[in-house]
Amino acid sequence: MSKKVNVAVVGATGAVGETMLAILAKRRFPVGELYLLASERSAGESIDYRGEEYIVQNLATFDPSGVDIALFSAGGGVSKEYAPKFAAAGAVVIDNSSAFRYDDDVPLVVSEVNPGEVANRPRGIIANPNCSTMQMLVALAPLHRESRIERINVATYQSVSGGGRSAMEELGRQTGALLNFQDVKPERFPVQIAFNLIPHIDDFQDNGFTKEEMKLVWETRKILGDEGILVNPTAVRVPVFYGHSEAVAIETERRITPERARELLRAAPGVEVVDERKAGGYPTPVTHASGNDAVYVGRIREDLSHPRGLNLWIVSDNIRKGAALNAVQLAELVVAEG
Ligand code: A2P
């Protein structure tokens, strides 16, 4: 990776964009020119990258020629409009939105699971999976390789940072208000999020599932290249700032014992097993995930109700491995192509 590449971060002022910059710096990504882009609102602000100040530019008036890699995280609408323009100007686009994830000619890639797919990008666009699918598959792919997973039951406990800065601000504001005996008015979330749980993320679909839940179904099948995998998801927003958690129950073709699962997961890239049967011997968003890169797995145990069933508790920082880190890892795979 000796050659420098010109990088554009679209949505640089957002929760994911900010973390993308921190991760590019931390991993010493070979950044040549760096373009920080956002809406007209933030144009002119300055952001520090490795000790230098960069001025945020307005995406709408930016000329993408000269950009080698564009990391998009400014929502689906922005991606739909601008990602094809960046690709047409010669950039490889790594898109964090759901705009292209289900298109056959756009690869959907988790760097530890199906890295080879990065090269298969006829439109110059690579899609970054949704946060909840990302962490689940980093942990489940090594088990799936051992014995095909037939069915996944998953309930997610998703932090508010997945909804961006405004969602984090709402949790903070409501928490402060309630502790001061004041009323709260939901704005960003459909109902109060502080001291509550909300079983509703993204839009409801005709089948009664939410889009966030269906992402787990569609994306798991596409990334594992297995249209037959059954996935039964429930996605819940919880009043946690950073880190998604998932209670996952899998059914495999052949039985995988908890001991064998621990062994496989200890050897798996990007995974840390935290699985002691004592107080605190399991990962949580605050004690493990927040601010860290790994996908943490604990509470590994046999399903009491199924002969080939295994339960796992999977926790990761949704902004890091769930979004920004994987995007940068995909960019590293592109750079490694030479
Ligand atoms: P801006 O600061 O100009 O609003 P988050 O998910 O944390 O809310 O961040 C969303 C990111 O997407 C921000 O950087 C935001 O920039 C950017 N963004 C939102 N709408 C647009 C747009 N129309 N054009 C470019 N960037 C946008």
Side-chain angles (χ1 to χ4, degrees), residues 262-338:
R262 275 185 215 104
E263 194 175 274
L264 290 166
L265 290 170
R266 280 201 194 96
V271 178
E272 276 194 34
V273 175
V274 181
D275 195 17
E276 289 184 274
R277 293 174 177 177
K278 63 175 198 190
Y282 36 75
T284 74
V286 168
T287 55
H288 291 78
S290 182
N292 291 316
D293 286 349
V295 171
Y296 298 88
V297 186
R299 302 296 322 280
I300 302 170
R301 63 209 189 279
E302 259 162 334
D303 181 339
L304 292 175
S305 66
H306 193 284
R308 289 168 283 105
L310 198 66
N311 294 322
L312 309 103
W313 173 247
I314 303 171
V315 185
S316 190
D317 187 324
N318 52 298
I319 298 294
R320 295 182 79 87
K321 183 60 199 176
L325 172 61
N326 196 68
V328 173
Q329 288 171 312
L330 299 187
E332 289 171 352
L333 290 169
V334 171
V335 170
E337 292 169 357

